[in-house]
């Protein structure tokens, strides 16, 4: 009897071309993109302030940090795992960067590298705990969430650490290299986010690491039997996600020109929401970086637009929640 | 001729229970060697040892005359031994080419960069070798099971496999797909690849294999040359064990009143035109091999799965059952083969498990559960069925398999069901407790309950049933009374596929 059941569950029912279009990942990406366009049109019509250059810059700036976090966590989610610690690991990395630059007097590049590596170390620990100690990802990274949060508070002695004014550190995020004079200034943060997304996309689709990321989420046992060192690759994937969180930490520190130790918790949920809206399956095996970036924009456009329309913050949350559920619901229909 | 594989004195036990004892097996290059036996005969275990899935406890494996150690599936693959499992080991989200080369992708000059064009090109070459009309860029998840199987074969070939073990490869294939597989097997054999063909389907074995090795109860029985033997001979070797220890104990013949009438039950390719009747006080045995569709029939009747069509009449009244709770309301209880997953809440105590299906009877009008009454009823049932438990407060997890089964039975009796469907009632239960379960079933039938008993153990079917229905591939292929039934007759019905694949079972292999 068992065998019959297994056979039935093996994917591979023949289906027509139209059906395969409806089931395709491309559709979910189009859906997310369409949602973004609809939101943009709606808010531009609803408020004259929405399309103002200052506002667009604000949207860019607020997407940057969440976007980097989301690109990073996309990897872990494609393996069928989850990382709840990215938000507080981001904060911890920001604190380390601030400590290195302000107290230890290190040059800014060293501070940046220190912050990114801190994230990577947290990811390495996550991956090791999950892969070698076989703690479920949800629990392992929940633990890391608290550990990183606690360490941030301890190191910073509960107070924000400010960078010196004029140190130029904040230019990393709020400075402008590309600008159309008189029309719009594109903040560096969003350029860095796009750069990170390009790197992420390259790793995901062109490298061995990316291939095994999909393989782990699609059928881990099959990969293992084929001689893939699944335990090791899983650790590498979590480490990579950690490195992205570290980079997000550097960016948020630059944007605020300070490390805010109490910030961070809740960011992981925004990032995971962006990934999910972007069509990456929480059950693993499929996903894309483009989708995640679109997802991150959907969330920040929504938040920004609702604020401009003076929708109270509590209602913004309600709407964001509803949109996440609808996005995943559409994804489930597509999969059926 | 040089031997490709020689296995000698293979022992393998699971938790002290031997699955293979002193087994042997030989495979020549270019040979299709069928491996047959009843469920649990040890054939899959033996082949999983060869494929590195299990490590043997004792024995010797020679590959082309040299002793080899195989301690992982990957090691086996590197030696050129591949097992194509029933549950295919592919990654549905990746393409055909990506699946074939997983774990050893061609790289560019920078070692972590994938060389996708080369991956696709090499896959294309392998697919062409096999005359497979498949695009390397196609996602595996979108292929039929048969095509996925072909991808597995292509993958095996890309490892230069000399030995391919196919575990029930035709179980999920259509007739046309089976033809395609057989053509493929001929091509592989021409390349000198040795194929182990595990199957229950006698006609296929007769047609495709050169030799047949029969296993029974974890032992090697005999190796026959296929063209020189008959299906009857193979079947008699498969079932050739001494009939059950004690004489059959049948309760008196049931009445003629039909309590359950199932007509026109269909679901896709799994269940085709199933019709039967169950009488009051009858034990109706459902025999057949794994995957024959017996559990599916039971699940369709109790509304656990949807089906294309079904007409149910219970005690003369037509009824519609859409959900298991409808079945309970109409007095049908289903006792799953997987007690721990579907039959019991093992973390809860005996009393709560017994009252589970009839909880409404123990709830006061204001919604409070009457624990005292639950315990009292549970105690009565525990005494009546002689469940061995220190108290009804004992967690079910801590009971033995036999006593857990009794608790499930008690649950359905408490819910006032009078049609009981037992799926493998004695699976995982030791011999002593088995006969107690048998006595209990007889007693229930005597009290007028009607019982459907699905079992893969022929002696159990023969000993317990008033009437036996045999299924194969989703159809009822035979019905036998307890007087006329023998293991051989049941096996014949259970492997009867000649009319389905439309070939004469005595045709020589090509």
């Amino acid at each position: 009897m068992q065998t019959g059941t297994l056979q039935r569950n093996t994917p591979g029912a023949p289906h027509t071309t139209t059906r395969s279009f409806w089931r395709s990942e491309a559709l979910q990406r189009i859906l997310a993109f369409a949602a973004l366009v609809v939101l943009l049109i709606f808010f531009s019509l609803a408020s004259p302030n929405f399309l103002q250059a200052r506002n667009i810059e604000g949207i860019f700036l607020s997407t940057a940090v969440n976007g980097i976090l989301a690109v990073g966590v996309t990897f872990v989610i494609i393996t069928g795992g989850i990382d709840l610690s990215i938000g507080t690991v981001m904060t911890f990395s920001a604190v380390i960067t601030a400590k290195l630059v302000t107290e230890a007097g290190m040059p800014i590049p060293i501070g940046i590298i220190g912050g990114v590596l801190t994230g990577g170390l947290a990811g390495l620990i996550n991956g090791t705990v999950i892969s070698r100690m076989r703690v479920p990802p949800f629990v392992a990274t929940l633990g890391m969430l608290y550990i990183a949060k606690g360490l941030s508070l301890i190191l910073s002695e509960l107070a924000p650490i400010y960078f010196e004014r004029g140190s130029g550190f904040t230019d990393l995020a709020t400075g402008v290299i590309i600008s159309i004079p008189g029309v719009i200034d594109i903040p560096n943060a969003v350029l860095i986010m796009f750069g990170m997304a390009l790197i992420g996309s390259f790793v995901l689709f062109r490298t061995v690491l990316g291939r095994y990321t999909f393989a782990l989420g699609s059928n881990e046992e099959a990969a293992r039997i084929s001689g893939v060192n699944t335990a090791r690759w899983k650790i590498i994937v979590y480490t990579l996600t950690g490195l992205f969180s570290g980079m997000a930490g550097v960016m948020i520190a630059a944007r605020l020109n300070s490390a805010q130790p109490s910030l961070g918790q809740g960011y992981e949920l925004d990032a995971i929401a962006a990934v999910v809206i972007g069509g990456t399956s929480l059950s693993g095996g499929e996903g894309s970086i483009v989708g995640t970036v679109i997802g991150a924009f959907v969330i920040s456009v929504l938040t920004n637009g609702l604020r401009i329309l003076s929708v109270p913050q509590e209602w913004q949350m309600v709407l964001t929640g509803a949109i996440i559920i609808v996005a995943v619901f559409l994804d489930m229909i597509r999969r059926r | 001729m040089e031997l490709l594989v020689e296995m000698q004195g293979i022992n393998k036990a699971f938790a002290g229970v031997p699955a293979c004892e002193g087994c042997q097996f030989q495979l020549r290059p270019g040979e299709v060697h069928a491996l047959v036996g009843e469920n649990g005969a040890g054939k899959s275990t033996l082949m999983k040892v060869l494929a590195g899935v299990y490590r043997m406890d004792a024995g010797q494996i020679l590959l082309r005359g040299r002793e080899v150690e195989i301690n992982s599936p990957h090691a086996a693959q590197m030696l050129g031994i591949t097992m194509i499992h029933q549950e295919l080991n592919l990654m549905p989200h990746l393409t055909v080419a990506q699946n074939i080369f997983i774990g050893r992708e061609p790289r560019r000059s920078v070692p972590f960069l994938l060389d996708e064009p080369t991956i696709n090109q090499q896959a294309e070459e392998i697919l062409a070798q096999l005359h497979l009309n498949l695009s390397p860029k196609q996602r595996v998840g979108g292929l039929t099971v048969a095509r996925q199987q072909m991808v597995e074969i292509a993958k095996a070939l890309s490892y230069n496999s000399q030995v391919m073990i196919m575990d029930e490869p035709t179980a999920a294939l259509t007739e046309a797909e089976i033809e395609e597989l057989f053509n493929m097997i001929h091509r592989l054999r021409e390349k000198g690849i040795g194929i182990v063909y595990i199957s229950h389907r006698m006609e296929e074995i007769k047609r495709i294999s050169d030799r047949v090795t029969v296993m029974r109860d974890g032992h090697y029985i005999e190796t026959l040359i296929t063209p020189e033997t008959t299906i009857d001979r193979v079947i008699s070797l498969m079932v050739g064990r001494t009939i059950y220890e004690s004489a059959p104990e049948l309760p008196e013949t049931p009445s003629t009143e039909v309590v359950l009438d199932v007509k026109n039950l269909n679901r896709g390719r799994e269940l085709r035109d199933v019709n039967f009747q169950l009488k009051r006080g009858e034990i109706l045995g459902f025999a057949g091999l794994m995957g024959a569709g017996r559990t599916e029939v039971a699940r369709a009747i109790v509304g656990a799965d949807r089906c294309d069509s079904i007409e149910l009449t219970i005690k003369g009244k037509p009824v519609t059952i859409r959900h298991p709770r409808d079945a309970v309301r109409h007095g049908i209880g289903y006792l799953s083969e997987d007690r721990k997953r579907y039959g019991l809440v093992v973390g809860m105590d005996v009393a709560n498990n017994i009252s589970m299906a009839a909880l409404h009877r123990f709830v006061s009008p204001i919604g409070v559960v009457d624990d005292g009454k639950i315990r009292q009823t549970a105690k009565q049932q525990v005494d009546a069925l002689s469940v061995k438990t220190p108290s009804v407060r004992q967690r079910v997890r801590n009971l033995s398999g036999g006593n857990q089964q009794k608790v499930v039975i008690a649950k359905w009796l408490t819910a006032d069901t009078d049609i009981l469907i037992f799926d493998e009632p004695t699976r995982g239960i030791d011999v002593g407790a088995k006969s107690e379960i048998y006595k209990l079933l007889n007693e229930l039938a005597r009290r007028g309950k009607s019982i459907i008993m699905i079992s893969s153990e022929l002696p159990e079917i023969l000993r317990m049933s008033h009437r036996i229905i045999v299924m194969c591939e989703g159809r009822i292929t035979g019905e036998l009374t307890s007087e006329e039934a023998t293991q051989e007759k049941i096996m014949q019905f259970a492997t009867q596929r000649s009319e389905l694949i439309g070939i004469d079972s005595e045709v020589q292999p090509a």
Side-chain angles (χ1 to χ4, degrees), chain B residues 269-289:
Chain B
R269 284 174 50 211
E270 286 166 353
L271 295 176
R272 287 178 282 198
D273 198 26
V274 173
N275 297 286
F276 68 93
Q277 294 184 330
L278 176 67
K279 293 177 189 132
R280 186 180 151 79
E282 176 181 50
I283 299 179
L284 178 63
F286 260 70
L289 296 162

Side-chain angles (χ1 to χ4, degrees), chain A residues 170-193:
Chain A
T170 188
D171 290 345
L172 193 63
T174 55
V176 174
I177 292 178
I178 295 179
S179 148
I180 306 168
V183 184
I184 195 167
D185 294 334
I186 299 183
N188 290 342
V190 82
L191 295 182
I192 290 177
M193 182 200 79

Side-chain angles (χ1 to χ4, degrees), chain A residues 71-83 137 213 237-239 241:
Chain A
V71 167
V73 81
T74 303
F75 282 83
V76 158
I77 292 177
I78 291 176
T79 67
I82 194 77
D83 190 342
T213 302
V237 170
Y238 278 89
T239 308
T241 296

Side-chain angles (χ1 to χ4, degrees), chain B residues 128-139:
Chain B
Q129 265 187 54
L130 290 171
H131 305 278
L132 271 178
N133 184 22
L134 262 180
S135 160
K137 291 180 187 165
Q138 166 101 42
R139 271 190 16 154

